[in-house]
Amino acid sequence: MQKWISVLSQCPIFKNLPDNEILNFFSSIPYSINNYPKDDLIYRTGDTASRIGIILSGHLEIRKCLSSGNFISLFHRTKGEVLGGSIVFCSRPQYPCDVVTKEDSLILWIEKDAALNAFLKTPVIAANIIRISANRIMQLENRVELFTFYSIQKKIAFSLLNDFAIDKDQSILIPFSKTTWAEYLNVSRTSLSRELKNLCYAGTIKVDGRRITILQMDMLEAVFI
């Protein structure tokens, strides 16, 4: 487990816990680590959630399939993030969406009962679980608000300001490809590229690969007002 401590220390479940306590946690509970190839369907809608996953490497997509056969990309989970952390504790623990790997992924699994017993013995972890659940609710509210926008520029501006970490230089590193971001915004890749260029021409942002720098924060905020 020592080899994964750098990833586990980033996981929100273990926020504010020193490395030695994280290692002690895993020395006291059973767990498993599984590999999943790209495009593997880990969970289908309606599958029972009986364990908590921690993504050690890779990239997962949470998506909702429509009756038309198309799907809406709802969330993306990457290294250090949690899968099923809130669902397993619901009165009806079933996945409301499909969970698919966007690239080869490695996931550490903890069974629900083992996790619950361990969490209750560690107040810091219990508080972190509550925080994760609250943050997921806020994420869902942001997604609902995003879907109310018809303008692609509004979707881009809202996503930049709400979905990603902005560093001290007003720079954002998009954690996945523009194709994946377009799916997340429910727009075409071509439309996303066009509107990013328009925002660049307006002097609102600068795009360098997956890194986007906000040049005029007030102009970006004004896009979706």
Side-chain angles (χ1 to χ4, degrees):
M1 189 54 67
Q2 181 68 50
K3 67 178 292 188
W4 300 113
I5 192 62
S6 62
V7 178
L8 295 171
S9 63
Q10 300 173 25
C11 179
I13 288 178
F14 305 113
K15 182 179 176 64
N16 298 322
L17 274 185
D19 290 356
N20 66 304
E21 290 192 31
I22 297 174
L23 292 173
N24 288 338
F25 173 85
F26 282 101
S27 68
S28 64
I29 65 166
Y31 63 87
S32 61
I33 297 177
N34 296 103
N35 279 293
Y36 298 90
K38 181 182 178 181
D39 296 324
D40 197 7
L41 184 60
I42 297 178
Y43 283 110
R44 294 183 184 274
T45 301
D47 283 353
T48 299
S50 61
R51 54 186 182 171
I52 293 174
I54 299 173
I55 304 170
L56 298 177
S57 65
H59 177 188
L60 309 182
E61 180 183 39
I62 317 299
R63 64 189 190 188
K64 188 71 173 180
C65 291
L66 306 177
S67 57
S68 63
N70 296 322
F71 66 86
I72 297 175
S73 180
L74 294 176
F75 303 108
H76 289 262
R77 304 281 182 240
T78 55
K79 184 173 69 173
E81 293 192 89
V82 180
L83 178 64
S86 303
I87 298 173
V88 294
F89 299 118
C90 291
S91 57
R92 188 181 178 187
Q94 293 180 322
Y95 274 88
C97 306
D98 291 352
V99 180
V100 182
T101 56
K102 297 292 286 184
E103 59 187 56
D104 292 351
S105 301
L106 191 66
I107 302 178
L108 183 153
W109 295 105
I110 309 170
E111 295 298 325
K112 174 184 175 180
D113 291 341
L116 183 59
N117 290 334
F119 293 167
L120 291 176
K121 295 176 183 177
T122 312
V124 172
I125 294 182
N128 288 339
I129 289 292
I130 294 173
R131 185 180 299 109
I132 291 169
S133 298
N135 288 341
R136 293 284 167 86
I137 292 172
M138 292 301 298
Q139 283 185 326
L140 182 58
E141 290 181 354
N142 283 341
R143 292 297 285 146
V144 171
E145 186 170 356
L146 179 66
F147 286 139
T148 66
F149 297 136
Y150 290 98
S151 163
I152 296 175
Q153 279 200 16
K154 286 186 177 182
K155 290 186 176 186
I156 292 171
F158 186 84
S159 182
L160 288 174
L161 295 172
N162 290 277
D163 292 327
F164 311 113
I166 303 176
D167 66 23
K168 61 182 180 180
D169 298 321
Q170 300 289 76
S171 180
I172 298 168
L173 180 63
I174 306 300
F176 32 68
S177 69
K178 287 190 175 70
T179 298
T180 297
W181 192 20
E183 292 172 354
Y184 177 77
L185 297 176
N186 199 30
V187 301
S188 71
R189 172 70 165 76
T190 302
S191 296
L192 173 62
S193 296
R194 182 185 65 244
E195 295 306 326
L196 284 173
K197 288 180 181 178
N198 288 338
L199 287 169
C200 288
Y201 292 150
T204 306
I205 63 173
K206 180 177 72 173
V207 178
D208 182 13
R210 291 194 294 118
R211 183 166 294 280
I212 296 178
T213 302
I214 302 173
L215 302 177
Q216 298 290 336
M217 179 64 77
D218 56 341
M219 291 176 63
L220 188 65
E221 292 174 339
V223 169
F224 64 88
I225 294 177

